[in-house]
């Protein structure tokens, strides 16, 4: 149960973020060069110093996304077990699908356009011909790409440990000494150009403005979804980090589960808090058990959530439900019961129908 509801859910979220972010950050970096090439009439002129482009994925943006892919946790393990319905994001494909993937691609395209054209409009360190060197312009744009893509990792990350903050700072600010070293070795004939850029007040004003312009859209979208398209994970995380109150969520989770077992529609109304302590114990979430029918609920939930797990029954004479598959719960082959005990066999069929009703409720959620 823990391997599926906790580790499985965490891993699904992490891998979804990793795949989408790898496409996103490379679109930001490559598309700025492509747009500059189109703007200059396909002249073939390099826009970035070659060594900067080669170190983009390794030195400047590689470690933060690996940290996220290994250690990020949006909901604690206790709450993943306490509210097992948050696991439905995986079977329903909510975190990685065509809509999510193309939204990341569109985000990369928009931010690449912002980074290039705002840089070309705002940065002005003229050379002898009255316009910036191409590598000076490329250096400003490249720094904007590194800071903007790193800020996106920070926005998507949920476990803001001090080690993650230090890692973000090291990756972002490693651009400046590395570019100065490239200039010392005269990479692509850029000796002295990086020093000229870093000594310009326009650069230090433009860099935070680029980060703000590329991040504000993502922040607004996340705030809108949290307040107007609220999901169960949002509510659980709010209770986990802010209110520390789970009683209403426990009652909602239990009511939703009971409605699914009964095959009824649940309108989402939170039941009132019972005054009897025994009833309060019975309202604990399914993962915790706590009442007489928790064993039956555990068997039903196992049939729903485990792709290769048989469901035990309370009597040896009852039929055994064989491994139900996620997505289409079905009744497997049954051990034939003797004629006098066929009435008991109907209990397993009812349990399976309850599992179907629960799955329909999870898909609707």
């Amino acid at each position: 149960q823990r391997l599926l509801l906790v580790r499985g859910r965490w891993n699904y979220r992490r891998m979804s973020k990793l795949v989408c972010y790898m496409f996103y950050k490379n679109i930001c970096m490559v598309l700025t060069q492509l747009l500059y090439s189109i703007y200059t009439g396909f002249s073939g002129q390099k826009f970035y110093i070659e060594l900067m482009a080669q170190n983009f994925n390794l030195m400047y943006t590689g470690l933060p996304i690996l940290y996220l892919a290994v250690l990020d946790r949006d909901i604690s393990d206790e709450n993943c077990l306490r509210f097992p319905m948050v696991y439905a994001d995986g079977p329903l494909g909510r975190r990685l699908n065509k809509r999510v993937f193309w939204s990341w691609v569109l985000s990369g395209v928009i931010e690449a356009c912002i980074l290039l054209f705002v840089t070309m409009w705002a940065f002005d360190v003229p050379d002898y011909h009255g316009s910036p060197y191409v590598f000076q312009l490329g250096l400003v744009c490249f720094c904007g790409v590194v800071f903007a893509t790193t800020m996106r990792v920070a926005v998507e990350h949920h476990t803001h440990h001090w080690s993650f903050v230090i890692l973000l700072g090291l990756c972002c600010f490693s651009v400046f000494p590395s570019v100065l070293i490239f200039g010392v070795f005269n990479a692509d004939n850029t000796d002295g150009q990086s020093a000229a850029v870093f000594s310009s007040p326009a650069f230090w004003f433009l860099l935070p403005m680029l980060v703000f312009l590329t991040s504000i859209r993502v922040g607004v979208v996340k705030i809108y979804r949290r307040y107007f398209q609220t999901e169960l994970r949002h509510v659980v995380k709010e209770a986990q980090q802010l209110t520390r109150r789970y009683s209403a969520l426990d009652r909602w989770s239990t009511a939703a589960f009971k409605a699914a077992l009964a095959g009824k529609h649940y309108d989402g109304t939170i039941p009132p808090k019972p005054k009897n302590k025994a009833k309060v114990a019975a309202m604990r979430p399914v993962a915790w058990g706590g009442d007489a029918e928790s064993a039956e609920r555990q068997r039903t939930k196992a049939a729903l959530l485990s792709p290769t797990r048989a469901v035990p029954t309370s009597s040896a004479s009852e039929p055994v439900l064989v491994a139900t598959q996620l997505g289409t719960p079905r009744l497997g082959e049954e051990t034939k019961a003797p004629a006098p005990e066929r009435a008991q066999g109907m209990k397993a069929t009812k349990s399976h129908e309850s599992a179907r009703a629960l799955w329909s409720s999870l898909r609707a959620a």
Side-chain angles (χ1 to χ4, degrees):
Q1 186 183 51
R2 181 180 177 85
L3 181 64
L4 187 68
L5 297 179
V6 180
R7 299 294 177 181
R9 182 182 178 277
W10 285 348
N11 184 70
Y12 171 69
R13 287 192 64 264
R14 293 164 181 171
M15 293 302 103
S16 301
K17 297 287 186 182
L18 174 66
V19 171
C20 294
Y21 179 78
M22 295 301 288
F23 280 94
Y24 156 80
K25 70 171 183 174
N26 284 282
I27 287 173
C28 285
M29 197 268 289
V30 175
L31 191 58
T32 51
Q33 300 179 83
L34 177 61
L35 292 175
Y36 181 79
S37 179
I38 296 174
Y39 181 80
T40 57
F42 297 97
S43 62
Q45 170 64 47
K46 291 181 180 180
F47 189 50
Y48 297 144
I49 300 173
E50 190 67 28
L51 290 175
M52 289 195 311
Q54 291 178 3
N55 285 281
F56 177 74
N57 285 305
L58 179 63
M59 182 186 301
Y60 304 134
T61 60
L63 294 180
I65 186 59
L66 291 180
Y67 191 104
L68 182 148
V70 174
L71 299 174
D72 186 33
R73 302 178 181 182
D74 63 331
I75 300 175
S76 65
D77 51 350
E78 292 86 358
N79 285 330
C80 287
L81 293 172
R82 188 170 190 170
F83 306 102
M85 294 181 73
V86 296
Y87 175 78
D89 289 352
L92 298 180
R94 288 175 175 169
R95 305 278 78 83
L96 185 60
N97 51 49
K98 292 181 180 179
R99 181 185 62 83
V100 172
F101 174 79
W102 287 110
S103 67
W104 278 85
V105 172
L106 181 61
S107 179
V109 173
I110 293 174
E111 293 178 19
C113 295
I114 293 174
L115 290 166
L116 177 65
F117 293 112
V118 172
T119 300
M120 295 178 62
W121 169 75
F123 187 68
D124 185 15
V125 181
D127 61 6
Y128 298 107
H129 303 286
S131 62
Y133 285 109
V134 61
F135 284 130
Q136 292 179 346
L137 196 64
L139 175 57
V140 177
C141 187
F142 185 84
C143 291
V145 170
V146 172
F147 275 76
T149 53
T150 306
M151 181 60 67
R152 184 62 183 269
V153 177
V155 171
E156 299 293 337
H157 196 62
H158 293 86
T159 309
H160 292 284
H161 192 261
W162 60 267
S163 58
F164 179 70
V165 177
I166 292 176
L167 187 62
L168 287 179
L170 289 176
C171 290
C172 286
F173 292 100
S174 64
V175 176
F176 305 129
S178 63
V179 171
L180 291 174
I181 293 173
F182 298 156
V184 171
F185 289 97
N186 198 23
D188 292 327
N189 296 320
T190 57
D191 185 19
Q193 294 189 25
S194 57
V197 171
F198 295 152
S199 62
S200 171
F203 169 77
W204 298 107
F205 175 79
L206 179 59
L207 185 59
M209 185 174 70
L210 290 173
V211 176
F212 172 78
L213 292 176
T214 53
S215 301
I216 186 64
R217 180 190 58 83
V218 179
V220 170
V221 170
K222 286 188 173 294
I223 293 173
Y224 174 83
R225 288 178 178 174
R226 182 173 290 271
Y227 281 92
F228 299 102
Q229 297 178 356
T230 308
E231 299 178 12
L232 177 59
R233 61 188 179 91
H234 295 145
V235 183
V236 173
K237 186 179 179 182
E238 180 179 343
Q240 173 182 308
Q241 295 186 344
L242 297 177
T243 63
R244 304 288 183 180
R245 298 176 181 176
Y246 296 100
S247 58
L249 272 174
D250 289 341
R251 297 197 301 274
W252 177 90
S253 178
T254 305
F257 198 86
K258 284 183 176 180
L261 289 178
K264 299 179 181 179
H265 174 71
Y266 179 57
D267 58 1
T269 304
I270 299 177
K273 184 176 180 180
K275 297 181 179 179
N276 192 338
K277 292 184 178 181
K279 292 184 178 180
V280 172
M283 295 297 288
R284 291 175 184 171
V286 179
W288 265 207
D291 57 354
E293 59 180 345
S294 62
E296 179 64 26
R297 293 182 184 178
Q298 292 288 350
R299 289 197 295 271
T300 305
K301 189 177 65 175
L304 174 68
L305 297 178
S306 179
T308 58
R309 181 178 177 182
V311 184
T313 55
S314 58
S315 175
S317 62
E318 293 184 4
V320 178
L321 297 180
V322 181
T324 57
Q325 297 294 331
L326 281 176
T328 311
R330 64 178 184 274
L331 183 63
E333 297 180 358
E334 299 179 352
T335 58
K336 295 183 179 180
E341 299 177 356
R342 286 178 182 173
Q344 294 182 358
M346 296 298 294
K347 296 180 180 179
T349 304
K350 292 181 179 180
S351 298
H352 177 66
E353 292 175 354
S354 299
R356 283 180 178 274
L358 174 60
W359 181 251
S360 301
S361 177
L362 285 175
R363 290 183 66 87

